[in-house]
Amino acid sequence: MAPALAFQNLTLGYDRHPAVHHLNGEITEGALLAIVGPNGAGKSTLLKGIVGLLHPLGGKIARNGFAAKDIAYLPQIAEIDRSFPISVYDLVAMGLWKRAGLLGGIGTADRGKISAAIEAVGLRGFEGRAIGTLSGGQMQRALFARLLLQDAQLILLDEPFASLDAKTISDLLELVERWHGEKRTVVAVLHDFDLVRRHFPEALLLAREPVAWGKTSDTLSAENLLKARRMSEAFDDAAGICDDAA
Amino acid sequence: MFYDALIAPFAEFDFMRRALAGVIILSLSAAPIGIFLMLRRMSLAGDVMAHAILPGAALGFLVAGLDLFAMTAGGIVAGIAVAVLAGLVARFTELKEDAALAAFYLVSLALGVTLISLKGSNVDLFRVLFGSVLALDNPTLIVIASFTTFSLFALALIWRPLVLECVDPGFLRSVSGAGTAVHLLFLTLVVLNLVAAFHALGTLLAVGMMMLPAAAARFWTQDVTRMAAISILIGMVSGVGGLLVSYHASLPTGPAVILAAGSIYALSVVLGPVGGLRKRFSPGRHLEA
C-alpha cells in the first residue's frame, strides 16, 4: 500500500518550542491509526500539522496527493457558535461544501445523501432542530454526519469520543469502522487504551518524541506507557537550539 | 377613512412616494446585513461605522457643498478606513476592540460635526445628523437603489461562507481559504448600506434600519434565512408606519421611522416565541417527552 502521509524528521511546535519532536514514519493508505499519549504530548499538534493549520518548525510532511480540502478534520474543541440560528440539517449539509461551493445547487440526490447521513448517526427526527438545542453527544453525532458527507479519503479525529456515553461511542465507532472498510485513512487521537486495543489495529504513542509506532498491542506495552509518562510536559524556557534540526 | 389614513399621503405627495421607495429599498439589504452583524456580535461595531461615515461625508461637504457624489464617496472611504483601523488597533495593541471602537466613534462624531460647522449652517448639521427622508431626490434614490442591488447580489454570493464563518469558522478554514475575503466583502457591504441609509436617516439614525429589524427578527425564528426575510418585512413595515405617523402627527420623519422599528422591537421582546419574555414568564405546562 502506498503511504497516505509521510513524516520526515518532522518537528512541530509553538514559538520555536517543539511539541512534536523529530517524528519519522508513514501512514499507509487505508490505515486505522490511533494516536495516544499523555496530555501535552503533541497529539493535537500533529493533526493540526497534517491539516496545514500549523507549519513545521523543521522537517516536512508529505501529503501524497492529498490537498488540504481532501482532508476531513474534526477538531477537539470545535469553534462552533451554538447560539447561531441554524438547523441540524443545514449544519450537516455544510459537509457538501467541497462539491457545492458558493453557488452550486443542492439537488434531490444531495438531499438524499444529507438525510442518509443524518439517519446514519441516529439523528433522524432532529433535522429541523436548532443546533443550540442539542446535547453534547447529539452535537458530536451531527458533526460525524457532516464528516460522512465530506466524503474525504483522509479523516482526522481529535478526541472524538471525549465525554460521550457508551452508546454514542459505540454508534460513532461503527462509522469509523465503516470508513476503514471503505479503505479510507482514519487517524484518531484517543485516550481510552481499551478502546484503542479493541478497535484500532495500529497506534502511535507520542510524548513529544515518538515513543513507539506500530501494531497496537506492541505499542501499548507497559514498558512503553511508562516511558511516555516519564517525559516532561513543560517547555524549558532556557532550552538551547536543537542540534539535530536537520 | 382607510384610504385617507394609509393611501392618500402617498397618492397625493411626490415626496412621500419617494420617501416610501427609499425606506422600502433600504430595508431590502440593510436588514439582512444587520442580521449578520448581530449574529457576529458586531452590533456596536455597526454603530461605530455609521458614525465614522460622518467625517468623510463632512469632508465631501467642505469640498463640494451638499453634493451627492462627494458626500457618498467621502462616507464610503471614511467608513472602510475606520472599520480597518479599529480592527488593527484591537489586534496590535493592548486595547480591547470595544474600547477601540468607542474611541473611534467619539472622535468621528466630534470631527464630523466640527467639519460641517466650518462651512455649513445648523440646518446642514441637522440634516447630516438626522437625515432628510422627505427630501430624497431622484439621484439619491438611484444611489440607494444601486447600493442595495449590489448588496443583494453580493450577499447571495457570499451567503454560504458567511453563515459558515459565523457558525463554525474552524470548519470554513479547513475547507476553504475564502474566510478573510468574505469578511472584508461583508464589511464593505455594511459600509455601503450605512452610507445609503445615511442619506435618508442621517449619521445618528442610519444604523437603526440595520439593527432594529434584525434584533426584532431574532425573537421570531431559529433559522437564519427566515430571520433575514422577517427582518426585511419588519424594516418595511416600520418604514411605512413611520412615514404615516410622521405625516399625520407632523413628527420628524427619520426619528418616526426608527421609533416605529423600535416599537416592533419592543413587541418582539415581549411576544416573540424564541426567547421572548412571554415565553419566559408563562412557558405553558411541560410536555410528556
Side-chain angles (χ1 to χ4, degrees), chain A residues 51 53 68-69 73 79-81 83-86 90-91 94-95 97 100-106 130-131 133 146 150, chain B residues 36 39 41 156-158 160-161 163-164 166-176 178 218 221-224 227:
Chain A
V51 188
L53 292 174
K69 62 174 187 172
Y73 168 53
E79 312 165 62
I80 291 183
D81 175 3
S83 68
F84 193 91
I86 188 172
D90 287 346
L91 180 78
M94 285 175 185
W97 171 271
L102 277 185
L103 298 169
I106 305 277
I131 57 170
T133 66
R146 187 170 77 180
Q150 279 187 272
Chain B
F36 283 100
L39 292 175
R41 299 183 175 82
L157 185 71
I158 62 171
R160 278 181 194 164
V163 169
L164 245 182
C166 296
V167 187
D168 193 350
F171 181 74
L172 181 66
R173 246 177 287 136
S174 78
V175 293
S176 155
R218 185 75 180 88
T221 172
Q222 302 245 42
D223 177 87
V224 63
M227 200 176 286

Side-chain angles (χ1 to χ4, degrees), chain B:
Chain B
M1 171 65 199
F2 172 80
Y3 178 86
D4 282 345
L6 300 181
I7 312 286
F10 299 116
E12 280 168 31
F13 296 103
D14 210 20
F15 67 86
M16 284 295 281
R17 277 201 295 280
R18 271 202 286 267
L20 180 68
V23 293
I24 285 180
I25 295 169
L26 273 178
S27 308
L28 274 173
S29 63
I33 284 171
I35 294 278
F36 283 100
L37 276 177
M38 173 184 69
L39 292 175
R40 302 176 139 207
R41 299 183 175 82
M42 285 175 62
S43 304
L44 282 177
D47 205 19
V48 171
M49 278 149 80
H51 291 88
I53 288 167
L54 186 61
L59 274 179
F61 174 77
L62 273 188
V63 174
L66 281 173
D67 176 71
L68 176 65
F69 176 78
M71 291 180 75
T72 304
I76 292 176
V77 171
I80 290 177
V82 162
V84 172
L85 280 177
L88 289 179
V89 168
R91 182 165 298 184
F92 293 112
T93 70
E94 281 295 303
L95 204 58
K96 292 277 182 283
E97 188 155 29
D98 58 336
L101 288 173
F104 275 100
Y105 152 89
L106 291 161
V107 172
S108 311
L109 191 59
L111 184 61
V113 170
T114 310
L115 287 176
I116 297 273
S117 306
L118 282 181
K119 190 175 157 195
S121 62
N122 275 345
V123 178
D124 296 326
L125 186 59
F126 211 73
R127 184 170 166 161
V128 290
L129 289 181
F130 299 105
S132 45
V133 190
L134 297 183
L136 289 176
D137 54 9
N138 285 344
T140 311
L141 270 186
I142 288 172
V143 166
I144 293 177
S146 319
F147 285 5
T148 294
T149 309
F150 174 77
S151 304
L152 285 177
F153 277 111
L155 209 50
L157 185 71
I158 62 171
W159 185 269
R160 278 181 194 164
L162 198 56
V163 169
L164 245 182
E165 220 215 340
C166 296
V167 187
D168 193 350
F171 181 74
L172 181 66
R173 246 177 287 136
S174 78
V175 293
S176 155
T180 311
V182 165
H183 186 66
L184 290 177
L185 181 54
F186 174 69
L187 285 180
T188 310
L189 292 183
V190 173
V191 172
L192 282 183
N193 279 271
L194 286 172
V195 170
F198 160 77
H199 287 304
L201 294 163
T203 192
L204 293 181
L205 296 177
V207 78
M209 278 307 260
M210 207 170 254
M211 296 323 304
L212 283 171
R218 185 75 180 88
F219 289 97
W220 295 98
T221 172
Q222 302 245 42
D223 177 87
V224 63
T225 313
R226 254 172 278 165
M227 200 176 286
I230 293 174
S231 72
I232 293 175
L233 196 71
I234 292 177
M236 288 180 175
V237 171
S238 4
V240 178
L243 284 177
L244 287 171
V245 169
S246 96
Y247 175 87
H248 291 298
S250 306
L251 295 172
T253 318
V257 169
I258 300 304
L259 280 178
S263 314
I264 297 181
Y265 169 72
L267 274 179
S268 307
V269 171
V270 177
L271 299 178
V274 184
L277 289 176
R278 185 179 54 110
K279 201 69 187 244
R280 180 175 177 130
F281 289 114
S282 69
R285 298 188 56 192
H286 73 257
L287 306 174
E288 258 180 15

